[in-house]
Amino acid sequence: MSNRLQGKVALVTAAGQGIGRAIAEAFIAEGAKVIATDIAEDKVQDLKAAKRLKLDVRSQESVEALAKTIASEFGALDILVNCAGYVHNGSVLDCGDKDWDFSFDLNVKSMHRTIKAFLPAMLEKKSGSIVNISSAVSSIRGVPNRYAYGATKAAVIGLTKAVAADFIKQGIRCNAVCPGTIESPSLDERIATASKETGRSVEAVRQSFVERQPMGRLGTTREVAALALFLASDEASYITGQPHLVDGGMAM
């Protein structure tokens, strides 16, 4: 490792598993002081992070309280990574108001909360990199049965561009990472659910996910983390306001 984030303070949401955990691990390995948060606090306890905390990103009060705590202990964040998310399955006909509202609250409004809470200190410092996890399934590409999810991830791209445009003159960069289909506990859960709902075997459902990837395989969380690491680092100092695909050619 090359200590690409040496001395930088980074907060990662949903760091307990999947993409969030891989990003937290990559940042730690590159020298960052990582504040690893997750709604399931037990899932971050084995990370070698500077701080491990429970955080419900759907709670304005919790996010604001954490921002105060971090400011007093670490000062301004150098890096904020928003990973928390949820995949709703179904078309518009399968999406009730509760599904829609929950999807937008967790996938989009959570980022609004964290950015609003942590950005002021970044602005005082006149530097900061924000990385939001979006998806290839968004404004970039539509796929069947991802109605609410695709809408939320498109909104994340719009949010990312807006933050980048508003604060580009003040040292803030904001980018979105757009994964394709990635091996993760979340995907395993979706495969198991689809298997039960359709009566198809788990293996057959998994193969259908693989087949929609032009490379013929699923991505890994480490591959997503590598892109997030680059965008968070000073190596990407001339890059802001863009969706960056790590999707095995899915959106090609």
Side-chain angles (χ1 to χ4, degrees):
M1 295 300 176
S2 56
N3 293 324
R4 293 155 75 189
L5 301 182
Q6 187 65 43
K8 293 188 182 293
V9 178
L11 186 141
V12 182
T13 68
Q17 65 181 31
I19 290 171
R21 185 178 185 88
I23 290 173
E25 290 174 340
F27 282 16
I28 291 167
E30 291 289 353
K33 297 176 183 177
V34 171
I35 299 131
T37 73
D38 199 283
I39 194 164
E41 188 177 2
D42 60 303
K43 291 184 178 180
V44 296
Q45 289 310 306
D46 60 334
L47 283 169
K48 295 179 181 179
K51 202 169 187 68
R52 299 171 293 274
L53 296 165
K54 177 177 181 177
L55 177 64
D56 180 1
V57 293
R58 298 182 65 213
S59 167
Q60 185 76 34
E61 182 180 0
S62 297
V63 171
E64 290 177 353
L66 177 60
K68 290 179 181 178
T69 298
I70 298 308
S72 64
E73 292 187 30
F74 297 92
L77 293 180
D78 296 292
I79 303 160
L80 171 63
V81 183
N82 287 307
C83 289
Y86 163 74
V87 182
H88 176 268
N89 183 62
S91 72
V92 61
L93 301 178
D94 307 304
C95 183
D97 284 352
K98 287 184 178 179
D99 299 317
W100 180 266
D101 292 344
F102 178 81
S103 294
F104 269 87
D105 193 33
L106 181 54
N107 292 4
V108 187
K109 196 172 181 179
S110 67
M111 297 188 186
H112 159 75
R113 293 185 185 102
T114 57
I115 293 170
K116 191 169 185 178
F118 289 100
L119 181 61
M122 288 180 166
L123 289 170
E124 284 187 23
K125 193 176 181 179
K126 296 183 180 178
S127 70
S129 177
I130 300 167
V131 179
N132 300 321
I133 303 302
S134 179
S135 175
V137 180
S138 56
S139 53
I140 298 171
R141 179 178 172 181
V143 303
N145 294 314
R146 290 293 182 268
Y147 170 70
Y149 179 74
T152 63
K153 293 303 186 177
V156 168
I157 292 173
L159 176 153
T160 298
K161 286 180 173 289
V163 171
D166 282 335
F167 303 104
I168 191 169
K169 302 286 190 183
Q170 293 157 274
I172 305 301
R173 295 187 299 108
C174 187
N175 287 285
V177 171
C178 302
T181 309
I182 306 298
E183 286 276 15
S184 67
S186 172
L187 178 64
D188 291 340
E189 290 171 9
R190 298 201 302 278
I191 288 171
T193 298
S195 175
K196 289 178 182 178
E197 290 177 349
T198 63
R200 299 166 67 202
S201 70
V202 168
E203 292 74 18
V205 174
R206 178 174 292 276
Q207 186 59 31
S208 69
F209 278 95
V210 172
E211 287 171 355
R212 76 181 191 184
Q213 296 297 127
M215 279 191 180
R217 69 170 177 87
L218 303 180
T220 70
T221 57
R222 286 189 177 185
E223 288 170 317
V224 180
L227 178 56
L229 172 62
F230 168 68
L231 292 172
S233 76
D234 293 340
E235 295 166 19
S237 59
Y238 203 55
I239 300 172
T240 192
Q242 295 302 313
H244 302 268
L245 287 157
V246 51
D247 70 340
M250 185 178 180
M252 188 165 51

